[in-house]
Structure formats: structure tokens, C-alpha cells
Amino acid sequence: GAVVSQHPSWVICKSGTSVKIECRSLDFQATTMFWYRQFPKQSLMLMATSNEGSKATYEQGVEKDKFLINHASLTLSTLTVTSAHPEDSSFYICSAQQGGGEKLFFGSGTQLSVL
Amino acid sequence: DQQVKQNSPSLSVQEGRISILNCDYTNSMFDYFLWYKKYPAEGPTFLISISSIKDKNEDGRFTVFLNKSAKHLSLHIVPSQPGDSAVYFCAASYGQNFVFGPGTRLSVLP
């Protein structure tokens, strides 16, 4: 199946710093990528949808200035958590949809811990 | 309003028996349904899917059934194995819209 690489898998940062998470589709072109957040024992919460070359669409309640999403190419989307705070600590997962395809392929996730 | 519901937060099954995970949806626009399996600290992995034009899709030990009139789908795993212990998410989609259920934690007991 299609492979989505997410990096880093684990990051610890100090409060107030910014963290960038990368999501790459390795063997297909992802016209659409999604970013999720998962809290313990809860479902995946969609944060935003990004289409290559255009601005991301954020879900209600998600601060677009805090969670910057860039989808500059058909194989790469990045999520930058700016001025991170301890409450931003969570498991972030990306997924990618191949153009014309119906399935979503997920990255392995990034565990962010903000001290 | 939850468009995709998985009413059982957890399920325990004996190894070798059948596991049945249920999912209900409310939006009749959904035309494609997927099941994902997720281990702790990992991204979900795709298991099996079904289009709304079908009522059954089988892949090895996994079978998904779709009842459009009831807006209900289920995932059957038989025989269940300890390695199947994970959280299972049901997802419904149309176009670029994907909605996930809250997940059901399956524990397969040896």
C-alpha cells in the first residue's frame, strides 16, 4: 500500500518554542493532506485539511495562527506548532489522499511534549 | 452532532472467536466506508473498505458488512487473534470529507 512518512516521531520542546512536523507521501502524489490530533482515549480530531498550493482549511476551534500548515508540493505538508505551550502536548497524525483515490493513508504520528 | 458513531467503547473477545465491531452513521451522503486499526503511539493503518454500492467485502479474516437502509456497518474478524487487540476506527466519506467514529478498543484474550 501507499506509504506516508511522518517526522519526527517524538519531540520534546520548551514552552514558547516552535516545532515543525513533516508529512511526506513517498510513492504517490497527495493532492490533499489532513492533520489530526489525538488525545488519550479519544478519537482522531481533524484539525485542518490542506490542498496542494492553496491555504489550509481549519476546523472550528483550531487556531490557524498557532498551527501553521503548508502544503507546498504534492508530496509534502508541514505542520508548525508555534509558541508551543504544555497544553499543546499531544499526538499529531497526518494523512494523505491520493488524487482521485478514496483511501486515506496515515503517517506514524508525532508525539509532542511541551515542557 | 456525531455523524459517525461507534457505541461500544470497548469489546473483549476470546481468542479464536468472532469479533464484531459496529458503526452507525447519519449522513446519507456518505458513499465510502473504511475501517482502520490503531496501536498505541502509531498512526492508524487501513484495514478494509466498502463502497455504498456493495453490502459485503471480505479480505482474509476481515469482513465488512454494510446495511444502507439502516445506515449501519460492521466489521467481523474471525478467528480473532491476540495481535488484533487495538483500537478500531470506522470512517465514512464522500469526496474529500472523512468523518471518523470515536473508536472501539478490542481486546482479544488468549
Side-chain angles (χ1 to χ4, degrees):
Chain A
V3 177
V4 174
S5 172
Q6 187 173 340
H7 179 81
S9 57
W10 181 62
V11 59
I12 299 175
C13 70
K14 290 184 178 179
S15 185
T17 60
S18 294
V19 174
K20 180 185 281 189
I21 303 170
E22 291 188 350
C23 182
R24 294 180 184 271
S25 57
L26 296 185
D27 51 0
F28 67 99
Q29 293 186 325
T31 52
T32 305
M33 286 187 171
F34 303 85
W35 286 95
Y36 303 83
R37 188 171 174 177
Q38 186 179 26
F39 295 100
K41 299 184 180 179
Q42 295 187 31
S43 183
L44 301 170
M45 185 193 81
L46 179 65
M47 297 174 67
T49 301
S50 73
N51 291 296
E52 184 265 338
S54 61
K55 288 184 179 179
T57 303
Y58 290 80
E59 296 298 301
Q60 193 171 16
V62 178
E63 298 175 61
K64 56 184 69 176
D65 293 332
K66 179 167 189 62
F67 299 100
L68 301 178
I69 291 172
N70 185 282
H71 192 167
S73 78
L74 284 170
T75 59
L76 174 65
S77 176
T78 60
L79 167 68
T80 302
V81 182
T82 62
S83 188
H85 288 282
E87 57 265 30
D88 298 326
S89 299
S90 188
F91 192 61
Y92 294 87
I93 306 173
C94 72
S95 68
Q97 184 179 26
Q98 190 172 7
E102 291 178 310
K103 295 188 183 71
L104 273 184
F105 299 96
F106 286 84
S108 53
T110 298
Q111 182 67 52
L112 171 64
S113 297
V114 184
L115 304 178
Chain B
D1 178 35
Q2 272 191 320
Q3 293 189 67
V4 178
K5 301 175 187 178
Q6 291 176 258
N7 291 322
S8 298
S10 64
L11 174 68
S12 292
V13 170
Q14 208 68 37
E15 180 179 5
R17 300 285 183 100
I18 185 171
S19 296
I20 300 177
L21 298 109
N22 293 304
C23 178
D24 296 286
Y25 62 97
T26 57
N27 191 339
S28 57
M29 294 283 291
F30 292 134
D31 58 7
Y32 196 71
F33 305 89
L34 312 94
W35 284 94
Y36 288 85
K37 173 180 177 180
K38 185 183 181 302
Y39 294 114
E42 292 184 15
T45 54
F46 170 75
L47 262 182
I48 192 169
S49 62
I50 188 167
S51 166
S52 59
I53 62 173
K54 293 187 175 182
D55 54 19
K56 177 182 174 181
N57 188 25
E58 191 172 351
D59 183 4
R61 297 186 297 115
F62 301 93
T63 303
V64 57
F65 295 92
L66 174 63
N67 183 333
K68 278 183 64 180
S69 60
K71 294 190 174 72
H72 175 84
L73 64 154
S74 61
L75 173 67
H76 292 212
I77 307 173
V78 56
S80 301
Q81 299 172 355
D84 295 330
S85 297
V87 177
Y88 289 78
F89 290 100
C90 162
S93 79
Y94 65 95
Q96 288 185 352
N97 299 285
F98 282 83
V99 181
F100 284 85
T104 296
R105 180 175 299 279
L106 173 66
S107 300
V108 179
L109 310 172

